Amino acid sequence: SGGHYKPPHCFPRYKSAILVAYRNQEKYLRHLLYYIHPFLQRQQLSYTIYLIQQVGTGSFNRAKLLNVGVREAMKDEEWDCLVLHDIDLVPENDYNLYICDEYYPKHMASAMDKFQYTLPYNSFFGGVSALTPEHYMKMNGFPNTYWGDGGENDDIATRIHLAGMKIVRTSPHLGRYRVMDYNEETEIPDPWRRPPSHHNTRKTWKADGMNTLQFRLLSRTKHPLYTKITVD
């Protein structure tokens, strides 16, 4: 119920919140839930899957939705780890543990089939990542100002460094992910090139993030396989 699970026969060593930004992607959602629940249960984690849904027809804001998810998830539990998960990615290796690195933010999707199982560029932090609540607050969360342009992953990578941390990566043979049914048309024209940034992260990161997060919580409902948080 509500996408919450803890192992019945042992005391879990880790508690992880899985946060998924969402808008009208029912097919992807069904695929992800089908694969991710057994995967996490085999790792004997205590976890909850949160779907953060944006209403309306305006531009999608993944980064801000994840900020909302963190804020709401932390009301439920003292989570050890916040796993930020794209809806169209499925992990291929059971040994890719959905737990945080003790010291630094961890990029987990280090080898996606879409990019021939290599990184598209060195600072890439997209797909799936894991941060402790302390990491998340130290970098002031994600930016709230990225509407529809997808460049937020590079902003986040920059924030991590500005906050005095570094990115650690899951090794490529473990961090393998399949991208579900992606359309060729929606890819960046050259996926190996970093998208241009229109934001001056160095100037804005302390004033744009968790400390300036504003939203209207419309509903919070428990579904059989996830908790849905709907926001404006």
Side-chain angles (χ1 to χ4, degrees), residues 76-123:
D76 291 345
E77 186 89 58
E78 291 281 320
W79 296 108
D80 300 317
C81 191
L82 307 165
V83 179
L84 314 169
H85 211 295
D86 279 7
I87 197 162
D88 59 351
L89 289 182
V90 171
E92 293 185 15
N93 191 321
D94 269 12
Y95 293 99
N96 183 5
L97 299 179
Y98 273 47
I99 62 176
C100 280
D101 180 80
E102 189 180 347
Y103 302 107
Y104 296 117
K106 180 168 78 167
H107 182 234
M108 298 175 67
S110 55
M112 293 192 228
D113 65 346
K114 177 179 177 177
F115 300 127
Q116 283 75 54
Y117 294 108
T118 60
L119 289 175
Y121 47 88
N122 286 338
S123 65

Side-chain angles (χ1 to χ4, degrees), residues 173-189:
H173 73 284
L174 295 179
R176 290 170 65 94
Y177 283 82
R178 183 154 301 219
V179 181
M180 291 184 282
D181 194 26
Y182 63 92
N183 293 319
E184 297 294 335
E185 299 85 56
T186 60
E187 263 187 71
I188 17 179

